[in-house]
Amino acid sequence: RTTAAARPRASRTSKYYGVYSPSRRGAKKFQARYRDASGHRITIGSFATEEEAARAYNTRLKNEGLESRRKVNKVDEAGRLVEKPKKSAPRPELPESERKSKYLGVNYRKLTRNFMARYTNASGKQKTIGCYVTQEEAGFAYNNAITSNGLESLRKLNKVDSAGRLIPKP
């Protein structure tokens, strides 16, 4: 007999928006859920098929007037539900030598495989500017945030050469 940790975990998401597979045994196979206008999670009900749950999700969003604020399952000309798009493959992980940032205010985020730009404001609080694919984009964003917040006298800027490229920190 295998332990719970050794068993592979089944996916609880569906090929349609708003449809999930419940974790309880004995429950119907699929649940339809959504978030209302104030962000609270609402369970519509349990359904035998994914399609029934997806249609109930669409109907509820339409009745609540949330079609423009939530993802809705598309329906083709024949009235069949269209599956939501598959997630794209993650970016390849950078080699260890390229993870260490060359610029001030830039850190590599291993989980999301991108570079995060942050700075410390005048009162000492860390402020996140955003996440970027390249170090250079994050470095420029850091410089822009420092100058737009008037912190040039308090914080160092990344140096820029005459061609407009960032110069790596020593």
Side-chain angles (χ1 to χ4, degrees):
R1 190 170 155 169
T2 60
T3 63
R7 275 183 294 222
R9 184 171 179 191
S11 173
R12 294 180 63 185
T13 60
S14 163
K15 55 188 173 182
Y16 302 112
Y17 295 115
V19 179
Y20 302 89
S21 178
S23 59
R24 295 189 323 254
R25 292 181 189 200
K28 285 194 178 178
K29 194 129 172 107
F30 299 97
Q31 281 186 350
R33 297 191 303 232
Y34 73 102
R35 296 222 177 246
D36 66 7
S38 59
H40 296 100
R41 187 172 79 179
I42 308 292
T43 301
I44 299 167
S46 296
F47 302 88
T49 66
E50 283 180 287
E51 291 79 14
E52 287 178 45
R55 289 185 190 283
Y57 169 81
N58 281 359
T59 303
R60 180 63 69 93
L61 288 183
K62 185 177 180 181
N63 293 342
E64 297 287 328
L66 295 171
E67 289 174 304
S68 62
R69 297 174 60 189
R70 303 283 184 266
K71 292 182 179 177
V72 179
N73 296 301
K74 292 186 172 60
V75 180
D76 65 10
E77 299 83 30
R80 292 185 304 262
L81 288 166
V82 178
E83 293 182 14
K84 66 184 178 184
K86 304 276 188 237
K87 290 185 179 179
S88 60
R91 285 191 297 276
E93 192 167 334
L94 291 176
E96 189 70 39
S97 61
E98 294 180 33
R99 287 186 208 162
K100 184 153 174 52
S101 174
K102 303 175 200 172
Y103 307 108
L104 295 170
V106 178
N107 296 317
Y108 180 72
R109 299 190 69 209
K110 189 174 180 180
L111 181 67
T112 57
R113 296 178 182 174
N114 57 22
F115 293 92
M116 180 173 60
R118 293 169 51 155
Y119 71 97
T120 306
N121 68 9
S123 60
K125 292 197 176 210
Q126 286 274 324
K127 297 290 182 182
T128 300
I129 302 162
C131 294
Y132 303 89
V133 175
T134 66
Q135 296 185 58
E136 291 75 18
E137 289 176 310
F140 280 118
Y142 170 82
N143 280 1
N144 290 338
I146 294 296
T147 54
S148 65
N149 289 299
L151 298 171
E152 299 95 329
S153 62
L154 299 172
R155 306 283 176 255
K156 292 182 182 178
L157 288 171
N158 289 305
K159 294 185 171 110
V160 181
D161 66 11
S162 59
R165 294 183 303 256
L166 291 175
I167 300 171
K169 62 186 179 186

